[in-house]
Amino acid sequence: THALAGTATNQTSVLWTTSGNGTFSSTTALNPIYTPGTSDISIGTVTLTLTALATSPCTVSATDTKILTIQKTPTANAGADATVCQGSTHALAGTATNQTSVLWTTSGNGTFSSTTALNPTYTPGTNDNTAGTVTLTLTSTAISPCTAQVSDDMSLIIQKAPIAFAGTDATIPADVPYPTTNASAANWSSVQWTTSGDGEFFDPTQLYTEYNPGPEDYFNQSVILTLTADNNFCEPVSHSMNLFFFMNQPDPIVFPGNDFTLCNEPNYHISDAWAQNYSTLLWSTSGDGTFDNVTLQNPVYTPGILDKSTGSAELCIEAQPNSRSTRAASGCMILTIQKSPVADAGDDATLCEQETHLLDGTAENFASVLWSTSGNGTFGSTGSPTTVYTPGVADITSGSVTLTLTALAISPCTVSANDSKILIIQKTPTANAGIDGSVCQGGTHTLTDATATYQASVLWSTSGNGTFSSTSTLNPVYTPGVTDVTSGTVTLTLTASAISPCTVSATVNKILIIQKTPTANAGSDATVCQESIHALAGTATNQASVLWTTSGNGTFSSTSSLTPVYTPGTTDVTNGTATLTLTASAISPCTVSSTDSKILFIQKTPTANAGTNATICQTETYQLSGTATNQSSVLWSTTENGTFSNPNILNPVYTPCVAEIA
């Protein structure tokens, strides 16, 4: 994820958008967390755009973009398991992507031509040859800012070279087959007998067989028998022995048959045993089994309880000489009783998503074991009963996977044993508190878009002092407290607790903005004189905008300013008053505006009329008949020294002075 650090000024709100399919923890916060989507990761980059919406009356938004580069995590593939012959080297075929470097390491003591190349040559060491196998590990180091290393193993089996021994030189009577009982071989998958003469082997592909000399062999009085051992990986190895012939009366010769392994059969017919130049035969056993007839050349042997318990019995045949020979002959073969394989995958188990599981399977009487999965997880080693299983994406998606342990039978047994266990993968909880929201002062907020998955329970908490209708349901109603309203914002936290065996809870926040209701104050009532203007001094809080209106027909220098100048109209002057109203409109999500009014009194200008000019007699006084309007008081005055009966009334009596009369 990527923590964004956007900034904006003079905006009503902001909006984050992406050119890809990633998600924001909040598209309306300046500093949300961005989680790249699958297409972002596939392309490798994504453009993130921050739009700041204009504050009224502005209408043009501001946008800015940033490019986020997504560095893919490394991969490593050490290649398929392989087998080489002891003394040989192996060319590795590793692959890796999204790495800064690679490193080869070995569990043994062999050497690489280069530990930092993808395709070096590995030369097994002495420890590798002794163990017969070595694990080669390819590790990829991530490209910054990724930090994880990824490793993959491959097993290299070191096959020992075959060994062949045809036996020591021997001399046999003429006209008698020669048993190859003195031959031996090791590290072989197949053997082949060949002759320098014209005789024939009963089965040239068996280590223990018999050779029937031909006429040319007898004529030459000897023949060379060669045993070749091969194991399909190393060069075949051969060894030869000389077989000489004499024509005297032969002693008894016996061949007890090749060693044999029995699997589940109730008895064994010793069909390849033979004897020559004998008078009587007698079979015996080292175990507690029984022969159907101990004097037959090819009897049937039924293993006993002890034979089955120890897993083998030695079966021996003795041939007594006939009248022309004095030396008896004997030979033994090993009958191995191979038990059937047994597999136990262990008990069913439950683990948390992204954990690994230690398998504690057991097996008996097996040639090898193999773990397999019904999903797409990986084993630390598929060939060990005890290993570590790492669930794959499909396992986690389905919630469970079946792991099967197969014990492959030891030859000649062919029926494998299988046992399965169910591994339940408990997913870790997720929580989404929903997008950031806002609520008007005095209102409540329903958390309708909150979600959670794989949780045992949920718990809501607040950074303020508001209350939830329920703290343990996903979609409760939140009522902001006094502290929330005062600060204007509160953080609501949703915690989803994990289902056992998972232990890590998921916690996510959302911001709830508490928008205060607007207030308006038009100011105190005032009085102006007719033909004067009035400077308004309104105040408002928490408003989106303000608007002045009048009950008359005057005009404002600006209806949307808190301190415009009002010019009374003719109607205002006629009425003598005008009610001026200031309305503060609410900021969303609040909807109720606030209004306040003041009365503006318009005082008309005074008028004065002293009356028409007049003429009086010298001895007379004069009754004045003045008129006035819109006055608070009147005052008569003269240019001379005459007197008024009362200069402060409209109709006083005026008495001229001597100077005026003169």
Side-chain angles (χ1 to χ4, degrees):
T1 59
H2 178 65
L4 293 164
T7 60
T9 58
N10 308 320
Q11 80 282 5
T12 56
S13 61
V14 296
L15 178 66
W16 282 98
T17 56
T18 173
S19 64
N21 68 336
T23 58
F24 298 90
S25 60
S26 168
T27 56
T28 58
L30 275 172
N31 310 115
I33 301 297
Y34 182 72
T35 302
T38 54
S39 68
D40 302 349
I41 296 171
S42 175
I43 296 171
T45 62
V46 63
T47 300
L48 307 181
T49 301
L50 175 62
T51 300
L53 302 179
T55 302
S56 179
C58 296
T59 59
V60 178
S61 300
T63 62
D64 189 42
T65 61
K66 71 178 289 179
I67 295 175
L68 182 63
T69 300
I70 299 98
Q71 177 58 51
K72 295 182 181 178
T73 54
T75 67
N77 186 338
D81 295 344
T83 301
V84 297
C85 185
Q86 182 175 334
S88 299
T89 60
H90 178 64
L92 293 161
T95 58
T97 61
N98 308 316
Q99 81 282 5
T100 57
S101 62
V102 296
L103 179 67
W104 283 98
T105 55
T106 173
S107 65
N109 68 332
T111 58
F112 298 91
S113 60
S114 170
T115 58
T116 58
L118 276 171
N119 309 116
T121 298
Y122 182 73
T123 302
T126 54
N127 293 349
D128 303 347
N129 293 331
T130 300
T133 182
V134 64
T135 299
L136 306 182
T137 302
L138 176 62
T139 300
S140 291
T141 300
I143 299 172
S144 178
C146 298
T147 58
Q149 289 186 328
V150 177
S151 298
D152 186 51
D153 298 337
M154 64 88 66
S155 293
L156 183 63
I157 298 172
I158 297 97
Q159 177 63 55
K160 294 182 179 179
I163 298 173
F165 178 66
T168 57
D169 294 345
T171 302
I172 62 172
D175 302 324
V176 223
Y178 171 68
T180 61
T181 52
N182 292 324
S184 63
N187 310 320
W188 57 278
S189 59
S190 64
V191 294
Q192 181 72 43
W193 283 97
T194 56
T195 175
S196 63
D198 62 344
E200 293 181 350
F201 290 94
F202 178 76
D203 185 346
T205 63
Q206 293 290 325
L207 179 62
Y208 300 127
T209 184
E210 63 179 25
Y211 179 71
N212 288 311
E216 184 179 327
D217 298 343
Y218 290 131
F219 178 79
N220 293 326
Q221 295 186 352
S222 68
V223 66
I224 298 174
L225 304 183
T226 300
L227 174 65
T228 300
D230 191 6
N231 61 14
N232 298 327
F233 291 101
C234 303
E235 289 295 325
V237 174
S238 300
H239 181 261
S240 300
M241 57 88 65
N242 292 302
L243 182 63
F244 300 98
F245 308 102
F246 66 88
M247 306 306 292
N248 296 330
Q249 178 63 46
D251 291 327
I253 301 173
V254 296
F255 176 60
N258 292 304
D259 291 345
F260 189 79
T261 302
L262 198 66
C263 180
N264 295 326
E265 294 89 347
N267 49 48
Y268 173 59
H269 181 207
I270 313 173
S271 59
D272 59 344
W274 54 265
Q276 293 178 342
N277 310 319
Y278 65 90
S279 59
T280 59
L281 298 174
L282 181 65
W283 282 92
S284 61
T285 176
S286 64
D288 62 341
T290 58
F291 296 92
D292 63 342
N293 189 329
V294 294
T295 63
L296 293 180
Q297 179 174 285
N298 304 109
V300 174
Y301 181 74
T302 301
I305 296 174
L306 179 62
D307 297 344
K308 294 177 181 178
S309 175
T310 58
S312 66
E314 185 178 48
L315 308 183
C316 298
I317 182 174
E318 184 177 15
Q320 297 299 323
N322 54 33
S323 58
R324 293 174 294 172
S325 177
T326 60
R327 184 168 60 88
S330 63
C332 299
M333 59 86 66
I334 302 298
L335 179 64
T336 301
I337 297 94
Q338 180 58 54
K339 296 179 181 178
S340 297
V342 177
D344 183 358
D347 297 331
D348 295 344
T350 301
L351 78 160
C352 188
E353 177 184 359
Q354 299 178 355
E355 290 182 348
T356 58
H357 180 63
L358 179 61
L359 293 166
D360 55 353
T362 58
E364 297 176 1
N365 313 317
F366 61 93
S368 62
V369 296
L370 178 67
W371 280 101
S372 59
T373 173
S374 64
N376 68 335
T378 57
F379 297 91
S381 169
T382 56
S384 172
T386 56
T387 186
V388 174
Y389 182 72
T390 302
V393 175
D395 303 348
I396 296 171
T397 301
S398 65
S400 66
V401 63
T402 300
L403 307 180
T404 301
L405 178 62
T406 300
L408 302 178
I410 299 174
S411 181
C413 296
T414 58
V415 179
S416 300
N418 298 294
D419 188 49
S420 298
K421 68 180 293 180
I422 295 175
L423 188 61
I424 298 173
I425 298 104
Q426 178 58 53
K427 296 182 181 178
T428 54
T430 67
N432 184 350
I435 61 174
D436 293 344
S438 59
V439 63
C440 187
Q441 177 182 351
T444 60
H445 179 67
T446 302
L447 298 156
T448 56
D449 56 349
T451 59
T453 60
Y454 311 113
Q455 76 281 9
S457 62
V458 295
L459 178 65
W460 282 98
S461 59
T462 173
S463 64
N465 68 334
T467 58
F468 296 91
S469 59
S470 170
T471 57
S472 58
T473 60
L474 266 175
N475 308 112
V477 175
Y478 182 72
T479 303
V482 175
T483 303
D484 303 348
V485 175
T486 300
S487 65
T489 182
V490 65
T491 300
L492 305 182
T493 301
L494 175 62
T495 299
S497 61
I499 299 173
S500 179
C502 296
T503 57
V504 179
S505 300
T507 301
V508 68
N509 298 328
K510 75 175 288 178
I511 304 297
L512 181 63
I513 297 172
I514 298 94
Q515 180 58 53
K516 295 179 182 178
T517 53
T519 66
N521 186 343
S524 303
D525 296 344
T527 301
V528 296
C529 187
Q530 179 183 353
E531 298 178 356
S532 295
I533 59 176
H534 178 61
L536 293 163
T539 59
T541 62
N542 310 314
Q543 78 279 9
S545 62
V546 295
L547 178 68
W548 284 98
T549 56
T550 175
S551 63
N553 67 336
T555 58
F556 298 92
S557 60
S558 169
T559 58
S560 59
S561 169
L562 279 170
T563 55
V565 173
Y566 183 71
T567 302
T570 55
T571 301
D572 301 345
V573 175
T574 300
N575 293 336
T577 64
T579 300
L580 307 182
T581 301
L582 176 62
T583 299
S585 61
I587 298 174
S588 181
C590 295
T591 57
V592 179
S593 300
S594 174
T595 61
D596 187 51
S597 299
K598 68 181 288 180
I599 298 175
L600 182 63
F601 297 92
I602 299 98
Q603 181 60 51
K604 296 179 182 178
T605 54
T607 64
N609 188 344
T612 59
N613 294 333
T615 302
I616 63 171
C617 185
Q618 177 179 345
T619 59
E620 292 179 341
T621 60
Y622 183 69
Q623 176 73 51
L624 293 164
S625 56
T627 60
T629 62
N630 308 317
Q631 79 281 5
S632 61
S633 63
V634 296
L635 177 66
W636 285 97
S637 61
T638 175
T639 59
E640 298 298 336
N641 294 325
T643 59
F644 298 92
S645 60
N646 185 347
N648 299 118
I649 63 174
L650 281 171
N651 308 115
V653 174
Y654 183 71
T655 303
C657 67
V658 174
E660 291 170 331
I661 296 171

